[in-house]
Amino acid sequence: MASYDFNAPRLFVDVPLAAGARIALDRGQANYLLNVLRLKAGDAVLVFNGRDGEWKAEVAVEGRKAADLVCAERTREQTAPLDLIYAFAPLKHARLDYMVQKAVEMGAGVLQPVLTRRTQSTRVNLERMRSNAIEAAEQCGILLIPEIREDQNFDKFINGLEKDRLVVFCDEDAPVSNPVEALKKTLTEGGNKATKFAVVVGPEGGFVDQERALAAAHERYVRVSLGPRILRADTAAVAALALVQSVLGDWA
Ligand code: SAH
């Protein structure tokens, strides 16, 4: 990511971006730029909307509390999302915040809360997930905000998956063996390389056998062990996504 300018602040804005476009900032954003970062008229900010790439914009101050941004030039082309659904049993507040941020940093394209039989926390605040996802994307320099889907019952989720989507089922009960090898092998099984993925991590209480069996019945499926330790679900998220990325290689 050589062209990423770490010095300019980055903001996600949900409006079309083009040369000369004027972006009205909401109060929170204006406050952050003018009062927290103490930016002045003409200072540079990088903006992205998940569709039009990244743009360098300049601050145009309107009084003491309001500011607009004016788009100057495109600094990076839009990148394509990885077709990777990260499916997880929702956790409680702070740990869910953490998990969402990490999943975004690790390149998940879709965040899908799934309600398993042992899921403890069934209240999912999608707005909060979205603001965590935006914050993580702003910070880590990616140009996409993952799609955040409504929570869904685990069985429905698995049954609704396309046949050619490779389900990477993280299971602490799986025999410990090299997960990279297992993943590489299933990736090209049957001669056609998988291009769609679903990484599935269970709740603190783990999956029940009925859920394991349902996932195993999916056409394209691999059960992976993340090592001989039981990881917390938020740690498993990072480990599983790093594993998948290491095989898919999004640094290539
Ligand atoms: N059933 C366990 C804890 C589950 S950990 C217990 O109560 O003792 C939460 C989730 O993280 C699991 O459902 C699994 O998806 C994932 N996970 C944790 N450790 C793992 C490991 N070593 N290998 C694969 N997945 C793991």
Side-chain angles (χ1 to χ4, degrees):
M1 242 187 349
S3 57
Y4 176 43
D5 177 358
F6 283 92
N7 295 315
R10 294 179 88 247
L11 273 192
F12 171 79
V13 290
D14 207 359
V15 293
L17 299 174
R22 214 172 166 94
I23 305 156
L25 295 173
D26 63 35
R27 271 175 67 174
Q29 290 171 324
N31 180 51
Y32 175 67
L33 295 182
L34 300 182
N35 301 324
V36 180
L37 298 180
R38 304 198 164 278
L39 296 191
K40 305 268 177 298
D43 283 346
V45 176
L46 296 173
V47 290
F48 65 107
N49 61 4
R51 305 183 294 273
D52 302 321
E54 180 189 72
W55 288 74
K56 187 174 169 185
E58 284 184 2
V59 176
V61 178
E62 310 269 328
R64 267 194 338 129
K65 286 196 177 152
D68 283 349
L69 294 176
V70 181
C71 252
E73 51 179 357
R74 201 196 313 252
T75 45
R76 287 193 286 157
E77 291 292 326
Q78 183 61 47
T79 48
L82 183 61
D83 192 347
L84 190 161
I85 300 173
Y86 176 59
F88 58 96
L91 305 171
K92 290 194 181 131
H93 307 290
R95 306 242 335 267
L96 180 60
D97 292 347
Y98 174 87
M99 182 160 44
V100 167
Q101 290 161 9
K102 299 306 133 185
V104 175
E105 288 171 40
M106 295 307 300
V110 174
L111 301 181
Q112 171 70 70
V114 287
L115 305 176
T116 66
R117 286 164 184 76
R118 290 194 182 141
T119 301
Q120 298 273 331
S121 180
T122 52
R123 284 235 183 102
V124 192
N125 183 338
L126 298 179
E127 265 314 302
R128 185 168 168 148
M129 277 178 63
R130 184 168 159 82
S131 57
N132 272 303
I134 289 175
E135 196 181 307
E138 286 175 341
Q139 252 177 37
C140 77
I142 55 173
L143 300 183
L144 290 157
I145 306 292
E147 182 191 335
I148 294 171
R149 298 207 178 139
E150 295 241 5
D151 46 288
Q152 205 182 10
N153 166 283
F154 176 84
D155 296 8
K156 261 200 183 147
F157 166 71
I158 295 287
N159 287 329
L161 291 172
E162 311 93 315
K163 284 190 172 157
D164 57 345
R165 184 173 293 278
L166 174 57
V167 172
V168 181
F169 189 75
C170 300
D171 190 355
E172 70 284 2
D173 274 2
V176 178
S177 66
N178 186 335
V180 175
E181 290 309 317
L183 201 54
K184 272 191 182 156
K185 197 165 146 257
T186 15
L187 194 63
T188 50
E189 225 162 43
N192 61 335
K193 198 171 170 194
T195 54
K196 301 177 191 163
F197 307 88
V199 173
V200 186
V201 167
E204 287 310 293
F207 289 110
V208 301
D209 285 343
Q210 202 179 338
E211 290 161 348
R212 291 190 168 94
L214 183 69
H218 184 73
E219 190 117 330
R220 257 191 134 145
Y221 155 90
V222 58
R223 182 186 188 204
V224 294
S225 158
L226 299 167
R229 293 155 299 271
I230 293 183
L231 307 176
R232 282 167 44 151
D234 44 355
T235 316
V238 182
L241 291 167
L243 167 73
V244 171
Q245 292 286 24
S246 75
V247 173
L248 304 180
D250 78 345
W251 45 77

